[in-house]
Amino acid sequence: MTEAVRVRNLVKRYKKTKINAVNDISFSVAEGAFFALLGPNGAGKTTTISILTTTLTKTSGVVEIAGFDAERAAGEVRRRIGVIFQTPSLDKNLTAEENIRFHAALYGLFPFRPIYALMPKTYKTRVASLAELLGIRENIFQPIHTFSGGMKRKLEIIRGLMHRPRVLFLDEPTTGLDPISRKGVWNYLQEVRKEERTTIFLTTHYLEEAEDADNICIINRGKIVASGTPENIRKTLVNTYLQMDAKDRHKLVTELARLKLQPEGNGPFRILLQNGIHPQKIIRSIRTPLTLLNIHLPTLEEAYIEIIGEHHADA
Amino acid sequence: MRTLNAIAIIAFRDLTKLLRDRVRILASVMFPLIFIGILGGSLSANIGTSLGFNFLTFVFTGVFAQTFFQSSAAGVISLVQDRENDFSQELFIAPVSRYAIILGKILGETFVACVASIGVIALGLIIGIPLSAGALLRLFPAGLAASFLGGAFGILVLGNISTQRTVGQIFPFILFPQIFLAGVFAPLSGAPIMLRVLSHITPLTYAVNLVRAAYYTGTPEFGAVTTLHPALNMLILVVLFFLFLIPGTWLFVRKEQNR
């Protein structure tokens, strides 16, 4: 399978600084995959995405997008990528349709015409179907300052996909959106992935958005601190445990000790489910009336906090 | 073809934005009015009588050139002021030449300057500046040349200054001295040699000169109001345009990407 993104030993040191903002990172994203780059503020996410999208030069290393070098063949790369920026990049003075028309002309998809009526029929059909998809058929000729935050985000995504990019870069695309708008944007993105098989490169603060990723990479202070499928990261970092509590805690602890289990905490107690310990077996042997019983499954967020927390503790 | 498309759309966006912004239209028309009406008027009352040519007409042609030059320079500079939270970031990742972006911007700002110049022309007619159809036909192409020079000057400024704050602070300092050194308000023919030397290294001088040459051609005042042969002036203007545009764009792109 060809690689949509290939990064080898990427280093970026900004001018007049003594540390590397991105410090020797390597990763690949397969064509059609959904890849998420995670990390705290200042970890180097935006720096990385800026280099990948040709707006920032690297200090050293190799960056290839769809097989083209991001610096030597920047034009080829730009033709093949779509970018959704952290801050909105729509022109507020223009209508939704004009924003799309500008993009289309800029990318040479359709010839420039000063008014909509003069645009080719294929363009009009495309705009109509996009507007339908967004549910803004009536508003497509309205200035976009009348749109909600979620609507604008979706419009940007639509615009970013007009030229059918091979890779869509999304830099914290849902920051500042309410939960319902966020869900709307994600549903739309999933549809796009299914239909166009576009490779998605995401940076986000919302860990649950990365749960569906094929692969994730967590960076901190410019270094990759964890990478793999979300499931593997969760499993290797966070343990599944049984959480229990009782009114008579002493009795419960005694019972657990008899089962050769060493619960953590002073109640509620945590029993790590590893080395073949099955929750079923424990529960069957407990006589003490319980007030709490819960099998805790690891989340990506916990794994993330564990990884990042560990590195913060180093400081 | 793709490049022409891109230049056209970038320029058209500027014009669309202006036409939807009434306050900006008003401001761009009012600014020259203040310049000619108040500053020109008061200077005219004080020194105008001793010159041997109509001082207000002299100021009018200077402000006409300056309007084009300044509008374009400021427009190109705004390209980067908006970079962080505006449509311009969409421009920077587009698969078009950086020169196309800059040229599109200059062209767009030239349209904007044309709108502003309508205010100048209207005022000129009100205060009785002789403006024949022929004079207007000669003035506008010269104005466009002034605008292109201003835009190229703008990009050179951008290429050399690293932060937008600095641009905002420094812009008046690089523009206002030019207005005086280019002789927008006062002829420099009798000025000390030092000022005249400075005048010749001021880009705006060549824009003002061109506009005056266009306006005064064939009149007895021609020799008194222009300081350089029009052909030589035009040649210098073209050379300056490329001298600013090419290194300016190169420096600007490098500065933006090579942080």
Side-chain angles (χ1 to χ4, degrees):
Chain A
M1 202 188 258
T2 37
E3 286 169 340
V5 177
R6 183 170 168 266
V7 174
R8 288 288 170 276
N9 307 106
L10 177 65
V11 175
K12 174 65 188 179
R13 181 179 294 193
Y14 284 101
K15 282 180 177 172
K16 296 173 191 157
T17 58
K18 286 194 177 127
I19 51 158
N20 294 337
V22 170
N23 194 3
D24 195 15
I25 64 171
S26 300
F27 59 85
S28 296
V29 181
E31 181 113 29
F34 172 16
F35 177 87
L37 185 66
L38 309 174
N41 291 330
K45 297 189 301 292
T46 298
T47 301
T48 306
I49 219 168
S50 301
I51 295 169
L52 266 52
T53 56
T54 77
T55 55
L56 184 68
T57 53
K58 63 190 186 233
T59 304
S60 65
V62 177
V63 174
E64 283 172 8
I65 310 293
F68 291 96
D69 187 282
E71 257 167 51
R72 272 169 299 165
E76 297 295 333
V77 170
R78 288 184 187 130
R79 239 182 284 275
R80 286 167 178 81
I81 62 169
V83 187
I84 310 301
F85 299 95
Q86 232 176 70
T87 49
S89 67
L90 294 167
D91 194 322
K92 293 185 272 298
N93 303 294
L94 306 178
T95 68
E97 184 276 324
E98 284 168 334
N99 267 290
I100 294 174
R101 175 144 44 98
F102 276 26
H103 185 89
L106 207 54
Y107 281 72
L109 305 175
F110 294 98
F112 162 69
R113 297 285 179 270
I115 52 171
Y116 173 75
L118 296 175
M119 290 300 284
K121 196 157 181 280
T122 44
Y123 170 81
K124 290 179 184 169
T125 321
R126 184 98 191 264
V127 169
S129 72
L130 289 174
E132 190 71 61
L133 192 70
L134 264 186
I136 54 164
R137 220 164 38 146
E138 289 85 43
N139 307 34
I140 191 88
F141 297 109
Q142 299 285 316
I144 57 132
H145 61 74
T146 59
F147 285 28
S148 71
M151 203 79 111
K152 283 187 211 159
R153 265 306 186 207
K154 280 195 225 166
L155 181 63
E156 279 193 276
I157 295 171
I158 280 184
R159 185 184 65 177
L161 291 168
M162 274 295 279
H163 58 286
R164 300 190 196 283
R166 300 270 291 278
V167 189
L168 183 66
F169 289 92
L170 300 137
D171 194 2
E172 297 182 18
T174 55
T175 302
L177 294 187
D178 63 75
I180 292 169
S181 304
R182 264 173 65 195
K183 198 159 168 42
V185 167
W186 273 104
N187 287 345
Y188 176 62
L189 273 174
Q190 296 298 0
E191 262 173 57
V192 165
R193 272 199 74 206
K194 244 185 276 164
E195 279 172 29
E196 313 254 337
R197 299 244 324 123
T198 313
T199 308
I200 292 191
F201 188 111
L202 169 81
T203 76
T204 184
H205 278 310
Y206 299 105
L207 277 293
E208 69 271 22
E209 290 182 347
E211 293 272 4
D212 290 335
D214 297 311
N215 264 298
I216 63 175
C217 216
I218 302 179
I219 62 170
N220 192 22
R221 297 200 194 121
K223 281 255 183 216
I224 293 180
V225 289
S227 66
T229 63
E231 204 188 342
N232 279 340
I233 290 188
R234 273 198 302 263
K235 273 191 190 156
T236 50
L237 283 156
V238 189
N239 294 307
T240 307
Y241 56 84
L242 188 68
Q243 205 177 16
M244 47 185 11
D245 207 355
K247 249 187 186 164
D248 190 347
R249 284 178 172 165
H250 180 72
K251 196 174 166 195
L252 180 62
V253 173
T254 320
E255 262 191 319
L256 289 170
R258 208 178 302 143
L259 296 166
K260 295 197 175 95
L261 293 170
Q262 289 174 323
E264 289 174 7
N266 301 319
F269 304 100
R270 301 206 304 180
I271 299 136
L272 292 182
L273 297 173
Q274 55 189 19
N275 306 326
I277 301 175
H278 289 288
Q280 215 80 48
K281 225 166 130 186
I282 302 171
I283 297 159
R284 229 183 290 147
S285 320
I286 299 288
R287 294 274 170 264
T288 317
L290 297 175
T291 53
L292 173 76
L293 179 66
N294 177 33
I295 298 175
H296 182 90
L297 296 169
T299 64
L300 189 57
E301 183 152 340
E302 282 174 302
Y304 175 85
I305 290 168
E306 193 161 309
I307 296 165
I308 300 299
E310 204 174 280
H311 285 261
H312 272 286
D314 290 349
Chain B
M1 197 56 218
R2 181 204 287 271
T3 307
L4 288 180
N5 238 344
I7 292 175
I9 198 81
I10 293 166
F12 184 70
R13 169 179 170 254
D14 268 6
L15 188 64
T16 314
K17 274 179 79 167
L18 176 76
L19 295 179
R20 289 190 188 157
D21 192 345
R22 289 196 201 99
V23 177
R24 201 170 143 221
I25 296 182
L26 200 67
S28 63
V29 172
M30 287 305 286
F31 193 64
L33 291 193
I34 293 166
F35 258 113
I36 308 181
I38 300 173
L39 205 51
S42 81
L43 284 172
S44 172
N46 290 316
I47 58 168
T49 46
S50 59
L51 284 171
F53 53 82
N54 185 301
F55 184 71
L56 268 182
T57 307
F58 179 84
V59 171
F60 167 82
T61 47
V63 170
F64 187 84
Q66 180 219 334
T67 302
F68 276 93
F69 184 91
Q70 186 179 337
S71 168
S72 201
V76 168
I77 286 171
S78 79
L79 182 66
V80 172
Q81 264 164 348
D82 305 335
R83 186 176 62 90
E84 298 299 331
N85 46 14
D86 183 78
F87 189 81
S88 1
Q89 52 187 355
E90 149 99 346
L91 291 180
F92 287 110
I93 54 139
V96 292
S97 148
R98 309 292 100 167
Y99 290 106
I101 295 176
I102 302 297
L103 283 176
K105 195 75 192 170
I106 293 177
L107 200 63
E109 291 303 324
T110 304
F111 287 137
V112 173
C114 284
V115 174
S117 73
I118 292 170
V120 182
I121 299 286
L123 185 82
L125 290 169
I126 293 167
I127 60 175
I129 309 284
L131 282 167
S132 63
L136 285 176
L137 280 178
R138 291 194 307 275
L139 272 176
F140 272 97
L144 299 190
S147 178
F148 272 72
L149 183 64
F153 175 72
I155 187 66
L156 188 69
V157 172
L158 268 191
N160 283 290
I161 294 171
S162 51
T163 72
Q164 283 320 299
R165 259 179 78 90
T166 325
V167 170
Q169 286 163 344
I170 214 165
F171 194 60
F173 291 101
I174 53 174
L175 190 73
F176 288 123
Q178 287 204 60
I179 294 175
F180 299 105
L181 287 169
V184 170
F185 291 107
L188 283 168
S189 42
I193 181 83
M194 197 55 211
L195 276 182
R196 272 183 288 160
V197 169
L198 283 174
S199 169
H200 278 100
I201 58 165
T202 301
L204 181 59
T205 299
Y206 300 95
V208 170
N209 246 325
L210 186 76
V211 167
R212 289 206 175 122
Y215 179 83
Y216 286 101
T217 182
T219 65
E221 295 100 327
F222 187 86
V225 295
T226 56
T227 51
L228 214 59
H229 190 274
L232 178 62
N233 188 80
M234 191 64 206
L235 179 71
I236 295 175
L237 197 142
V238 171
V239 169
L240 283 180
F241 174 74
F242 287 107
L243 213 58
F244 292 163
L245 181 75
I246 294 168
T249 306
W250 185 80
L251 281 171
F252 166 64
V253 169
R254 206 185 61 139
K255 181 168 65 65
E256 285 297 299
Q257 293 189 341
N258 194 6
R259 280 173 280 149

